[in-house]
Amino acid sequence: MVNCCGLLTANKALVPLKSIEVELEVRDHVATVVSTLTYENKEDKPVEAVFVFPLPGDAAVCHFSAKIGQTQIVAEVKEKQQAREEYDDALSSGQQAFLLEESEQSPDIFTLSVGSLPPGESASIRLEYVTELAVQADDGLRFCLPAVLNPRYQPQGASVQVTSVPASLVPYSLSFSARVSSPRPVSKVESNCSLDPLQHLNTEQTQATVKLAAGHKFDRDVELLIYYKDAHQPTAVVEAGQTTAKTGTLMGDPVVMLSLYPEFPQSVMSSVASCGEFVLLMDRSGSMGSRMNNGRGQQTRISSARDTLLLLLKSLPMGCYFNIYSFGSSFEHIFPKSVEYSQSSMEEALKKVELMEANLGGTEILKPLKHIYSQPCIPSQPRQLFVFTDGEVFNTKEVINLVKKNSGSHRCFSFGIGEGASSALINGLAKEGGGHAQFITETDRMQPKVMQSLRFALQPAVVDITVTWDLPKGVSATALSPPITALFQGQRSLVYAQLTGQSSEAAQGCVMVKYSLAGHPSQNPLPFNLKPAEDSGLTVHRLGARTLIRSLEMEEREHRGQQDEGVKKKVVELSVQSGVSSSYTAFIVVNKGNSKPIQGPLVRRNIPTPGNFCHHQVKMYLCITLLYDQTPAKLMTFPSASAVLSSALDDEDIERPIPKQPCRDSLLQVVSLQNASGSWLFNPALADVLGKTSEEVDKSKPALVGYLWATILALIWLHAFKMDAKEEWELLAMKAVSWLRAQNGKNHDSNADAVVFNSISTCVHSSVLSAD
């Protein structure tokens, strides 16, 4: 693994980055970020400083300037090779120059070259970008300021080895402030870092400011979670074009941004799919052996992943198919091909999951993905791919392109584990695979986020998605966004479009999202005002341009073997016109006003980023750790109403040997004892977790024995003691309830079903279970 964090100078002094100041402005669900980096050359010779740093993968870099002394120079966007040549020419002639360029392998890595900084001189670099804020499971909007950039694994080890600098020695400081505004009240802002109290700026509480507390060391990603009241409201923003741009161009015409939250019929959403092929792809590279939070957490990434696979396997529906792949420098799979989910296949998989370690070397995800896609899909079993990785790959764009090529055959759900997971990789996999992305950092538990994605995967597939526009005569809309490929209940979809033409009619338009769900056609309309919003800047235009640029770049990669230069030319033209970064352009600043050439050979210095690793994808998420009473739960007598259940048992009730369980919290222990069918068998292991001996529970039970009794007890225990983790066990509890309902037919008692659920409800709500 290559560490790209930075270099020390010849005399072990640190490189000349002095400070970083970040100002964040959030408007509803869009963020504008302005970063100012101040350099100071304390050496006795001119230096060229090189700073490799992360940005969110979907960010649109839209401004770059340099201030030397009292002179402010704004960068131009030019074709990348041309910009590089101008930079080299400037250095050769003794001029100061600055070059900002995006990595060709991953859109979330940028390189800033500061050339010919004379001895004793300072320079300030101003970088501005805009980005969309992702919606989290709890409706919070997530902003991440990447602090460090994880080293990208190189299969051939071709990159230059760079010395890392410990976080305690990083010389530069960080100041961070945020201003939040929305049509809806700002209810709270949380972070993984200490914040000063939230300050509301008006009585409606629709505007607020917040700052990092004094003394923050930039040794971790900074993550903010922003919460609004009534967050799931569809919105539309129309932004006026740039007055200096030509009408008919993207920057000259108005652009609309639609935020859509489709609402599905409750009758459809109440049912959960009982089929599917679930392919779980787990990263087992060496970095997965790291702690979740770069040494600050207790659990390793791989151990958290093992616990998550346990929950996933227990929650899969009977009748589906599944397989588990793991990868590093090589890859493995548990079964030669996906197998039907059963008690025996589940047990075999769990035995191998328990043995998984972070021991497969590097991070090469492309090979296992190709192997998965080479396997034929199973008829009537929609393929759902779950990818778990800490995201330290070198060929992000190639991986995402492969997922897009196969998007018609599956949905892809991705999970970035630990600080440093590539936002470009994780978001790209989900976006192009028609799924959903999640990030697990700081004290996050992986399990609830993964279970949310499983619920999405079990939702009925939405097909035949179309977006149609109803606009006044003379006005037309040109889509800037690619077609919507996935819709999930409660999740946002963003649509950008360029509005062309004018109308004398009422300035009102409407967009309609139509789709088919479970065989029923549905539609969600969103009317909006065509009048441009006041004081909106060019944020929407830049995000729209970025969206179109990314689509064109993807198209160009698909045709790369055919030498299609036409698409690349479009990208360059659009990037230059909009001033938004792309993989084929760069920002270039040359200080031509410097009359005195800088003398002496340049010394190259790579700026160290904080931490022993370099990482991107910051997170300010104040996570609530699941806490529960450590006193063993004690079970009281179960209501006699349950005695009406038949005690007739079949061969399924024969007690099996209990495999030795690893040390886990009580929830995972109970989950580990559940059968694939959804039932539990009462045995000493389950009794021990419930805090009672077999003899004590046996005295309190009615004639009912075996699976029925144990399943009821386990469900009562979950509701009584683990409601704070309900999102983790809800699906497997639903499976247990379905199993109990199925026993109704075996018992030939039409009242048994109601009695079971009434008994469970009575137990939970009347506190029949208690802790001694």
Side-chain angles (χ1 to χ4, degrees):
M1 178 142 329
V2 178
N3 198 322
C4 57
C5 294
L7 286 177
L8 301 178
T9 61
N11 58 1
K12 304 300 181 183
L14 295 169
V15 287
L17 182 59
K18 186 178 180 180
S19 66
I20 300 178
E21 179 183 349
V22 179
E23 296 177 346
L24 168 68
E25 182 176 2
V26 177
R27 293 189 179 186
D28 208 1
H29 52 261
V30 171
T32 301
V33 185
V34 178
S35 299
T36 303
L37 297 82
T38 301
Y39 295 82
E40 183 178 2
N41 182 11
K42 294 184 179 181
E43 298 189 46
D44 57 2
K45 57 181 73 66
V47 298
E48 178 191 15
V50 180
F51 185 32
V52 179
F53 61 99
L55 288 179
D58 57 356
V61 178
C62 54
H63 176 88
F64 178 57
S65 61
K67 185 176 182 181
I68 305 99
Q70 299 302 313
T71 304
Q72 183 84 18
I73 310 171
V74 178
E76 297 179 76
V77 179
K78 297 186 177 182
E79 192 277 328
K80 182 174 287 187
Q81 187 57 39
Q82 178 185 351
R84 287 173 175 173
E85 291 175 357
E86 289 189 19
Y87 177 79
D88 291 339
D89 289 344
L91 297 193
S92 299
S93 60
Q95 293 177 314
Q96 292 172 320
F98 305 84
L99 180 70
L100 178 69
E101 54 186 321
E102 176 185 312
S103 166
E104 295 181 0
Q105 283 71 44
S106 181
D108 58 355
I109 301 176
F110 281 76
T111 299
L112 172 59
S113 301
V114 179
S116 296
L117 191 61
E121 187 164 339
S122 297
S124 292
I125 305 299
R126 188 176 186 271
L127 172 70
E128 180 179 339
Y129 66 87
V130 292
T131 186
E132 302 163 355
L133 300 184
V135 181
Q136 301 300 288
D138 60 357
D139 296 338
L141 293 175
R142 178 179 184 266
F143 169 76
C144 181
L145 177 68
V148 287
L149 173 67
N150 274 347
R152 296 300 195 253
Y153 172 74
Q154 297 280 358
Q156 307 302 324
S159 293
V160 178
Q161 181 70 29
V162 183
T163 306
S164 67
V165 178
S168 60
L169 298 180
V170 171
Y172 50 86
S173 62
L174 168 72
S175 65
F176 177 89
S177 62
R179 181 185 178 98
V180 182
S181 61
S182 171
R184 296 169 293 280
V186 181
S187 57
K188 61 179 177 179
V189 177
E190 296 179 343
S191 175
N192 64 334
C193 304
S194 296
L195 297 175
D196 289 342
L198 183 69
Q199 300 289 328
H200 285 100
L201 303 179
N202 57 2
T203 56
E204 295 83 6
Q205 297 189 343
T206 57
Q207 298 181 22
T209 60
V210 69
K211 294 181 179 180
L212 276 181
H216 174 77
K217 293 184 178 180
F218 201 18
D219 59 347
R220 69 186 73 178
D221 291 345
V222 177
E223 185 176 61
L224 288 181
L225 283 183
I226 302 165
Y227 296 88
Y228 302 131
K229 292 182 180 178
D230 301 321
H232 281 206
Q233 295 293 322
T235 59
V237 176
V238 178
E239 183 178 80
Q242 194 172 22
T243 56
T244 57
K246 183 179 178 181
T247 301
T249 65
L250 173 60
M251 300 306 292
D253 286 339
V255 170
V256 59
M257 177 177 67
L258 305 172
S259 179
L260 307 173
Y261 290 93
E263 290 295 331
F264 300 156
Q266 184 59 38
S267 59
V268 176
M269 297 310 301
S270 61
S271 62
V272 175
S274 59
C275 62
E277 179 195 8
F278 296 88
V279 182
L280 315 179
L281 178 58
M282 178 60 63
D283 189 343
R284 287 175 55 194
S285 61
S287 56
M288 286 289 290
S290 303
R291 301 289 176 182
M292 285 293 294
N293 315 308
N294 286 344
R296 293 185 296 277
Q298 295 299 315
Q299 194 175 32
T300 62
R301 298 173 185 180
I302 191 66
S303 63
S304 179
R306 286 195 299 264
D307 290 345
T308 301
L309 288 179
L310 166 68
L311 273 172
L312 266 174
L313 287 173
K314 294 291 184 175
S315 302
L316 292 180
M318 295 295 288
C320 75
Y321 285 72
F322 79 103
N323 202 354
I324 301 177
Y325 285 70
S326 56
F327 70 96
S329 299
S330 58
F331 70 91
E332 302 173 356
H333 41 73
I334 292 181
F335 305 107
K337 61 180 182 179
S338 294
V339 298
E340 187 171 0
Y341 179 73
S342 65
Q343 183 67 29
S344 60
S345 62
M346 183 194 73
E347 289 180 347
E348 182 179 351
L350 282 174
K351 288 178 183 177
K352 294 182 179 179
V353 166
E354 289 294 346
L355 299 176
M356 284 185 176
E357 297 292 345
N359 57 2
L360 291 185
T363 312
E364 296 187 43
I365 193 173
L366 201 61
K367 292 179 181 178
L369 280 175
K370 288 181 177 179
H371 186 273
I372 290 169
Y373 294 141
S374 71
Q375 303 297 305
C377 293
I378 301 172
S380 302
Q381 301 286 348
R383 178 172 288 173
Q384 315 277 4
L385 175 63
F386 283 60
V387 180
F388 302 84
T389 179
D390 53 13
E392 299 169 7
V393 302
F394 71 101
N395 53 349
T396 300
K397 293 181 179 179
E398 189 176 1
V399 171
I400 294 173
N401 192 42
L402 177 65
V403 172
K404 181 180 181 181
K405 285 182 178 179
N406 292 274
S407 60
S409 65
H410 78 305
R411 289 194 292 189
C412 182
F413 299 85
S414 54
F415 307 89
I417 303 173
E419 289 190 359
S422 166
S423 63
L425 176 67
I426 303 305
N427 288 328
L429 289 174
K431 183 176 181 180
E432 299 302 337
H436 188 251
Q438 300 269 22
F439 291 90
I440 302 102
T441 60
E442 286 299 320
T443 55
D444 278 359
R445 281 177 63 87
M446 188 185 306
Q447 291 83 357
K449 294 194 173 186
V450 175
M451 298 313 294
Q452 183 203 33
S453 291
L454 179 58
R455 282 190 286 273
F456 285 159
L458 291 172
Q459 286 182 11
V462 178
V463 297
D464 300 329
I465 305 171
T466 60
V467 176
T468 57
W469 300 84
D470 183 9
L471 301 172
K473 185 178 180 180
V475 180
S476 61
T478 302
L480 304 176
S481 308
I484 299 175
T485 57
L487 289 176
F488 298 107
Q489 174 72 13
Q491 288 300 298
R492 181 191 66 191
S493 295
L494 289 175
V495 175
Y496 297 92
Q498 177 182 345
L499 300 177
T500 305
Q502 295 182 344
S503 174
S504 58
E505 300 178 16
Q508 190 76 18
C510 182
V511 65
M512 183 78 71
V513 180
K514 299 180 180 180
Y515 52 87
S516 179
L517 179 65
H520 301 288
S522 299
Q523 59 185 30
N524 289 147
L526 174 60
F528 62 94
N529 194 328
L530 287 172
K531 183 179 179 180
E534 296 181 3
D535 190 30
S536 57
L538 292 170
T539 301
V540 173
H541 279 74
R542 288 162 176 165
L543 287 171
R546 180 62 161 170
T547 300
L548 182 54
I549 285 171
R550 286 289 178 244
S551 297
L552 290 171
E553 287 175 336
M554 184 71 72
E555 181 182 342
E556 196 278 333
R557 285 195 294 274
E558 292 176 356
H559 297 89
R560 184 162 290 179
Q562 304 173 16
Q563 297 297 317
D564 186 353
E565 291 294 324
V567 176
K568 180 178 178 180
K569 183 179 178 181
K570 289 181 183 178
V571 171
V572 172
E573 289 177 349
L574 181 58
S575 178
V576 172
Q577 177 199 141
S578 63
V580 170
S581 60
S582 76
S583 58
Y584 303 122
T585 54
F587 286 88
I588 176 70
V589 173
V590 177
N591 184 12
K592 298 179 180 179
N594 185 23
S595 58
K596 184 179 179 181
I598 299 169
Q599 303 297 322
L602 283 177
V603 179
R604 187 180 181 90
R605 300 286 183 251
N606 284 19
I607 307 298
T609 60
N612 291 327
F613 299 98
C614 277
H615 163 108
H616 73 287
Q617 206 49 47
V618 178
K619 177 171 186 180
M620 272 194 171
Y621 198 143
L622 179 61
C623 304
I624 301 174
T625 304
L626 297 177
L627 301 175
Y628 57 92
D629 189 352
Q630 298 300 316
T631 305
K634 305 295 183 181
L635 289 170
M636 302 296 285
T637 303
F638 191 77
S640 58
S642 62
V644 301
L645 288 170
S646 171
S647 59
L649 303 172
D650 53 27
D651 293 341
E652 189 184 19
D653 294 299
I654 299 174
E655 186 167 333
R656 299 188 187 90
I658 302 302
K660 184 177 180 180
Q661 298 297 322
C663 181
R664 287 195 177 102
D665 65 37
S666 55
L667 173 60
L668 290 177
Q669 290 182 55
V670 169
V671 170
S672 69
L673 294 170
Q674 188 185 32
N675 296 310
S677 64
S679 65
W680 276 268
L681 174 63
F682 191 79
N683 52 43
L686 182 60
D688 182 62
V689 180
L690 300 181
K692 302 292 286 184
T693 66
S694 299
E695 293 76 13
E696 288 174 314
V697 177
D698 195 60
K699 290 179 183 178
S700 65
K701 74 180 181 183
L704 179 65
V705 292
Y707 285 90
L708 290 170
W709 175 238
T711 303
I712 292 172
L713 290 181
L715 286 172
I716 294 173
W717 184 87
L718 289 172
H719 281 85
F721 294 100
K722 295 299 177 183
M723 283 301 292
D724 57 349
K726 183 180 179 182
E727 54 194 350
E728 299 185 34
W729 53 259
E730 187 174 26
L731 285 176
L732 58 87
M734 289 172 61
K735 189 162 65 168
V737 169
S738 295
W739 180 85
L740 285 172
R741 283 180 173 147
Q743 307 316 301
N744 184 19
K746 293 183 181 180
N747 296 328
H748 306 290
D749 185 345
S750 61
N751 295 320
D753 185 87
V755 171
V756 169
F757 300 113
N758 288 336
S759 298
I760 292 175
S761 178
T762 301
C763 287
V764 174
H765 293 101
S766 62
S767 301
V768 172
L769 288 170
S770 64
D772 292 345

